[in-house]
Amino acid sequence: MADSNQLLFFLSALGAFNGFILSVYFAINAKKKIFSNYFLSLLMLVLSIRIVKSVFFYFNPNLSNIFIQIGLSACILIGPFLFLYLKPSKEKNQNWVKHVIPYLAAITLIGSFYPYVKHLAIWKIWIVKAIYFQWFVYIVLSFQFINPIIQKIREKEPLKKIDVWSLSIYIGVAIIWLAYTVASYTSYIIGALSFTFVLYLVALLLIFRNNNESNFFQEKEKYKNKEIDAAMLALIDQKLALIVEKELYLNPNFSLDDAAKELKISKHILSQYVNEVLGKSFSNLIKEYRIEKAKKLLENESKITLESLGYDSGFNSKSTFFTAFKKTTGLTPAEYQKSYSK
């Protein structure tokens, strides 16, 4: 094997090896067992199986067909495990079976009745394409859990560590899917790409582990077993109204920290209340207040210009305001004003 091929093989195989190590780590060695970590572990496992198959097949075209079949079959669970890991913790435990068992059963039956060794054409033309399409569908479905993070980036809001981690997982899996999809036009070997992806995860892991702040593994369930008592619920509900009464949300830079200081409530408790009781993020809550303000301005100020409406409602840009207004009301500001005046 030439020196360049030896290096490529080493990098590719090392990426897959790191994937297996991370899979074991997430499943066994996390400080606190959290159910979502098992989905992350399984995601790393099936990715690694697929990558190992690619590496060895690239350097040994005479690889056993059963090994090739196992590697290809593993792809059918990449999308579901990505979806289940990114899905909010309070929902994912309820219906994970329907995202895993049917596909696992289907690929097992297909592999039994149409083994790769005897039906190469069927696998290449139909089965593999169907698997990659299913993988893509789950990438699209998983975007709903990443979209709030993208909105934070667009609105220049600070990202939590778990946001950075989740976004990295999502982008990494999407890149690997794209690499496999275009492999016939470029090169079949994607081990180096996978190696880069896995090392990126390792780097993030080491960074977060060495951070003395809250552990990113646990951040998704930071409110677990910490219910707010009834008296505090009533107090927060009462105090939260002050944000509307004082129109604090008109400050484009109004943050959770600002709200907690103004209302004299713990930032952690306020965040938990907004997330669990109101079922939304703090930024979305403030956005709703601003939209309601904009609607009142449209209803009561006939001479207000649509250009200044967003800024008068607390938004820091016209485009952000128009997007938020249309998403919330289903109408543009001009359409809303016209419908109200009828």
Side-chain angles (χ1 to χ4, degrees):
M1 189 182 295
D3 290 342
S4 59
N5 280 347
Q6 288 180 344
L7 179 60
L8 181 58
F9 177 81
F10 172 76
L11 294 177
S12 303
L14 184 59
F17 175 76
N18 284 336
F20 282 117
I21 295 298
L22 281 178
S23 175
V24 174
Y25 178 86
F26 291 130
I28 299 176
N29 295 327
K31 290 182 179 179
K32 289 188 178 181
K33 300 279 184 70
I34 297 176
F35 197 69
S36 62
N37 279 358
Y38 291 108
F39 291 128
L40 180 56
S41 172
L42 292 167
L43 173 61
M44 296 304 303
L45 177 62
V46 291
L47 275 171
S48 299
I49 291 173
R50 181 62 179 89
I51 292 166
V52 165
K53 175 262 174 188
S54 299
V55 172
F56 284 94
F57 180 74
Y58 182 81
F59 292 99
N60 180 19
N62 297 319
L63 186 67
S64 171
N65 285 320
I66 186 62
F67 189 67
I68 295 175
Q69 181 175 321
I70 292 173
L72 291 172
S73 299
C75 287
I76 204 168
L77 295 177
I78 295 175
F81 286 142
L82 172 69
F83 178 85
L84 290 167
Y85 174 67
L86 295 176
K87 195 173 184 179
S89 300
K90 62 182 179 180
E91 301 175 12
K92 70 176 68 184
N93 298 359
Q94 300 173 3
N95 57 6
W96 67 268
V97 172
K98 72 179 184 181
H99 291 284
V100 175
I101 301 302
Y103 296 121
L104 190 58
I107 199 65
T108 301
L109 290 173
I110 291 173
S112 299
F113 288 102
Y114 298 95
Y116 183 85
V117 64
K118 295 181 180 180
H119 301 276
L120 294 178
I122 293 178
W123 274 81
K124 291 180 179 179
I125 297 174
W126 298 106
I127 299 176
V128 173
K129 289 183 179 179
I131 290 174
Y132 286 163
F133 177 74
Q134 178 255 20
W135 183 354
F136 175 73
V137 169
Y138 269 98
I139 288 176
V140 174
L141 291 175
S142 300
F143 184 76
Q144 63 184 297
F145 309 127
I146 297 299
N147 192 46
I149 302 174
I150 295 176
Q151 292 298 323
K152 285 184 179 181
I153 295 174
R154 287 177 178 172
E155 297 174 14
K156 299 180 180 180
E157 296 183 17
L159 297 181
K160 298 178 181 178
K161 291 178 294 183
I162 190 62
D163 292 336
V164 177
W165 175 260
S166 298
L167 187 60
S168 300
I169 293 288
Y170 181 83
I171 292 175
V173 172
I175 288 175
I176 290 176
W177 172 86
L178 181 62
Y180 274 119
T181 304
V182 301
S184 58
Y185 305 103
T186 54
S187 174
Y188 184 75
I189 183 64
I190 61 141
L193 171 64
S194 303
F195 166 74
T196 303
F197 167 63
V198 173
L199 277 192
Y200 183 37
L201 297 185
V202 172
L204 283 174
L205 174 63
L206 292 175
I207 291 171
F208 289 132
R209 278 193 63 197
N210 292 329
N211 193 320
N212 292 325
E213 297 176 9
S214 60
N215 188 288
F216 75 99
F217 289 117
Q218 303 163 22
E219 193 163 354
K220 283 189 177 182
E221 302 207 359
K222 60 184 176 181
Y223 304 136
K224 189 177 181 181
N225 299 324
K226 295 182 181 178
E227 295 184 1
I228 306 175
D229 60 60
M232 179 59 72
L233 286 173
L235 178 63
I236 296 176
D237 187 57
Q238 181 181 3
K239 286 194 170 187
L240 204 58
L242 292 175
I243 295 179
V244 179
E245 292 176 11
K246 294 184 177 183
E247 296 190 329
L248 302 176
Y249 57 84
L250 293 182
N251 175 5
N253 299 316
F254 189 64
S255 66
L256 179 65
D257 286 329
D258 297 329
K261 291 176 182 177
E262 179 70 28
L263 304 180
K264 296 180 174 59
I265 301 174
S266 161
K267 174 184 174 182
H268 179 85
I269 295 295
L270 180 58
S271 176
Q272 181 178 356
Y273 177 88
V274 174
N275 279 268
E276 292 190 345
V277 178
L278 301 184
K280 60 192 71 174
S281 67
F282 180 78
S283 61
N284 282 337
L285 176 66
I286 297 303
K287 191 180 298 181
E288 289 178 5
Y289 290 156
R290 290 168 178 164
I291 294 298
E292 287 302 313
K293 175 67 175 181
K295 288 164 66 176
K296 289 180 180 179
L297 289 173
L298 287 170
E299 294 166 6
N300 301 320
E301 303 289 338
S302 58
K303 295 183 179 180
I304 191 170
T305 64
L306 299 180
E307 295 293 326
S308 64
L309 181 61
Y311 298 103
D312 292 342
S313 305
F315 288 91
N316 54 15
S317 74
K318 184 175 70 173
S319 60
T320 302
F321 163 65
F322 270 67
T323 300
F325 193 95
K326 179 68 181 292
K327 183 177 180 180
T328 302
T329 65
L331 301 170
T332 65
E335 290 170 342
Y336 181 87
Q337 188 178 50
K338 185 177 181 180
S339 64
Y340 184 81
S341 62
K342 288 182 178 179

